[in-house]
Amino acid sequence: MLFQLLVQDGHINPGLAIANKIKKEDPNSEIVFIGTNRGLENDLVPRAGYQLKIIEAYGFQKEISIENFRNVLKTFSSKKDVKRFFEEFKPDIVIGTGGYICVPVFGVAIKCKIPTLLHESNAFPGRSVKLYAKKVDRVLVGFKETKECLGNAKNVVVTGTPTKVRKLNITYTEKLKILNNLGIKNDLPIVLIFGGSQGAKKINDSVYNIIKNNLNKKYQIVWATGPKQFDIIKTALKNDSIDIEKLNNVKILPYIYNMDEMMNISDLLICRSGAMTITEISIVGKPAIFIPLPSKMANRQEDNAKVLEKIGAAKIISNNVVDYQNLSEMIDFIIQDRIRLEEMGKIAKTLAPENTEEKIYNEIKSILH
């Protein structure tokens, strides 16, 4: 029986994808996640059928404050809980997918000489990955640019980031059925807009005003607002005497459950630029307009977006300047040129990782044997 311990914080879906691959290849493997009681792991990990071990850990802020000092102490104090758990569980390998929780967990794992592996989804590695890059047995990265950021670390392998989204060969009839279910036609280009599971207010505000000013006459919009913002937007439209169910060339949804299909049939994507989204866009081979989520600590999403922008597959509009006017102009610039659309999509496809899960699984096996 092969025992595995997966450490997970920010990148939940890659962690789950790695776990699922291990279970598929080695059904007797015993897998436990470590997380905090504040993240999405509390919902997604048990839902996927895995045990979740909770510890207390926090990110380190740049500013000096009593709260930050306390959080640092709590994070390092959690090493005692990690060590106790290791003694009980006796993991054969510790796998991390980035985030501050790696600090106490990998500190203990390395000291206890347990085999270790880190996976970094972002184009620019986080502090925990940089901290342990030369100390762990292997670092797996989503982009070749990430490897370049890790200096002279010799144990870095480019594998890509695992995701559920795949390039689908959707027939014309199947596409018409999907569009019919949405209540939109096939006579105009489709712009798919989303801001993550919770939505993105800056994106939503801009798109709202594009619709309100009827600026999308030459394309159709499929817009996932996020569940928390859907009713707010519906009410705002009603106050502007606009019926959400009777909009021309627009379908507004709280959430898109068939995201793989929608990404495949859309002509242009507008979204944040998290590591998973970048990977998925390269897999389906679509042009994109990125509005990166800003961060006080590090602009990870902007770094991700630049990977596609610099090769000509995407455009970037900063979160602090985006509005309905510059977003509308950017959409028109891209969407009205079919050749440009296709060329940007082909370029994006060149970054698509191949056999990601298999590569990651092989690296795990190489460490353990």
Side-chain angles (χ1 to χ4, degrees):
M1 182 179 289
L2 176 66
F3 291 89
Q4 302 285 346
L5 172 65
L6 270 79
V7 181
Q8 179 279 319
D9 178 57
H11 303 300
I12 302 170
N13 290 317
L16 288 171
I18 295 170
N20 292 339
K21 175 63 176 177
I22 294 170
K23 271 293 187 183
K24 179 181 177 181
E25 300 296 334
D26 298 279
N28 292 327
S29 296
E30 189 172 340
I31 299 174
V32 177
F33 281 72
I34 290 184
T36 70
N37 60 5
R38 305 182 307 280
L40 286 173
E41 62 264 32
N42 291 271
D43 174 36
L44 297 181
V45 171
R47 188 186 292 269
Y50 298 107
Q51 180 184 345
L52 177 65
K53 182 74 175 178
I54 298 295
I55 65 170
E56 196 166 11
Y58 299 86
F60 303 153
Q61 306 300 319
K62 289 183 178 180
E63 62 270 14
I64 298 174
S65 68
I66 294 175
E67 183 182 4
N68 191 33
F69 180 70
R70 286 174 179 165
N71 287 341
V72 170
L73 288 179
K74 289 176 183 177
T75 300
F76 281 98
S77 295
S78 68
K79 284 186 175 182
K80 299 192 297 292
D81 297 324
V82 174
K83 186 176 181 181
R84 191 179 306 114
F85 178 59
F86 281 3
E87 290 171 351
E88 295 171 0
F89 186 65
K90 295 180 173 58
D92 291 301
I93 187 169
V94 175
I95 302 173
T97 54
Y100 51 80
I101 201 167
C102 286
V103 173
V105 176
F106 274 76
V108 175
I110 292 168
K111 188 173 182 179
C112 294
K113 300 188 184 304
I114 301 170
T116 49
L117 179 148
L118 277 171
H119 183 278
E120 176 58 83
S121 301
N122 285 311
F124 190 85
R127 284 185 289 180
S128 61
V129 172
K130 288 193 285 187
L131 176 65
Y132 290 116
K134 296 178 183 178
K135 300 176 183 178
V136 297
D137 294 287
R138 201 84 84 250
V139 181
L140 310 183
V141 296
F143 303 99
K144 60 180 176 58
E145 286 84 355
T146 318
K147 185 174 183 178
E148 296 167 3
C149 293
L150 291 173
N152 58 355
K154 298 179 180 179
N155 55 347
V156 183
V157 180
V158 181
T159 60
T161 296
T163 172
K164 294 179 182 178
V165 170
R166 296 289 181 267
K167 179 68 176 176
L168 303 176
N169 294 316
I170 296 176
T171 65
Y172 180 75
T173 302
E174 290 170 338
K175 180 180 179 180
L176 287 180
K177 185 177 179 181
I178 295 168
L179 296 179
N180 185 58
N181 288 337
L182 288 170
I184 59 177
K185 302 173 184 178
N186 190 40
D187 56 351
L188 290 173
I190 300 166
V191 178
L192 177 63
I193 305 171
F194 56 95
S197 59
Q198 302 304 313
K201 192 174 186 306
K202 286 285 286 186
I203 295 177
N204 285 349
D205 288 346
S206 299
V207 178
Y208 179 90
N209 282 296
I210 286 175
I211 293 169
K212 180 181 175 181
N213 289 281
N214 197 26
L215 298 177
N216 60 305
K217 295 177 181 178
K218 297 180 180 179
Y219 56 88
Q220 300 182 98
I221 292 174
V222 179
W223 174 24
T225 64
K228 292 182 179 179
Q229 297 191 42
F230 180 77
D231 288 336
I232 296 172
I233 289 167
K234 183 176 181 179
T235 300
L237 286 168
K238 185 177 180 180
N239 292 337
D240 285 327
S241 301
I242 301 172
D243 186 340
I244 196 172
E245 299 298 336
K246 296 181 180 179
L247 285 163
N248 290 325
N249 303 331
V250 178
K251 181 63 178 180
I252 305 176
L253 303 162
Y255 188 80
I256 295 174
Y257 291 95
N258 61 331
M259 183 59 81
D260 53 344
E261 290 181 336
M262 287 309 306
M263 291 181 80
N264 273 274
I265 68 171
S266 297
D267 297 282
L268 174 66
L269 277 60
I270 300 173
C271 51
R272 295 299 196 191
S273 48
M276 288 291 290
T277 302
I278 294 289
T279 298
E280 290 165 355
I281 285 173
S282 67
I283 288 172
V284 298
K286 298 292 179 178
I289 298 173
F290 292 122
I291 304 167
L293 177 69
S295 171
K296 292 180 180 179
M297 298 300 295
N299 290 319
R300 299 280 179 255
Q301 289 207 4
E302 186 173 339
D303 292 330
N304 295 340
K306 286 179 178 177
V307 172
L308 285 177
E309 183 196 44
K310 73 179 183 181
I311 61 173
K315 298 291 185 181
I316 298 174
I317 303 178
S318 298
N319 191 76
N320 63 334
V321 302
V322 67
D323 58 30
Y324 79 95
Q325 292 172 313
N326 56 28
L327 180 57
S328 178
E329 289 172 3
M330 185 70 74
I331 295 172
D332 286 338
F333 173 74
I334 298 173
I335 208 76
Q336 291 179 27
D337 189 334
R338 176 58 61 176
I339 295 176
R340 180 184 291 116
L341 272 175
E342 293 180 358
E343 186 62 27
M344 290 176 71
K346 288 178 182 177
I347 295 171
K349 195 77 172 66
T350 63
L351 290 184
E354 295 181 357
N355 304 316
T356 297
E357 287 90 347
E358 193 66 28
K359 290 176 182 177
I360 293 173
Y361 181 68
N362 287 336
E363 292 299 329
I364 294 169
K365 286 198 301 182
S366 72
I367 294 172
L368 291 173
H369 295 110

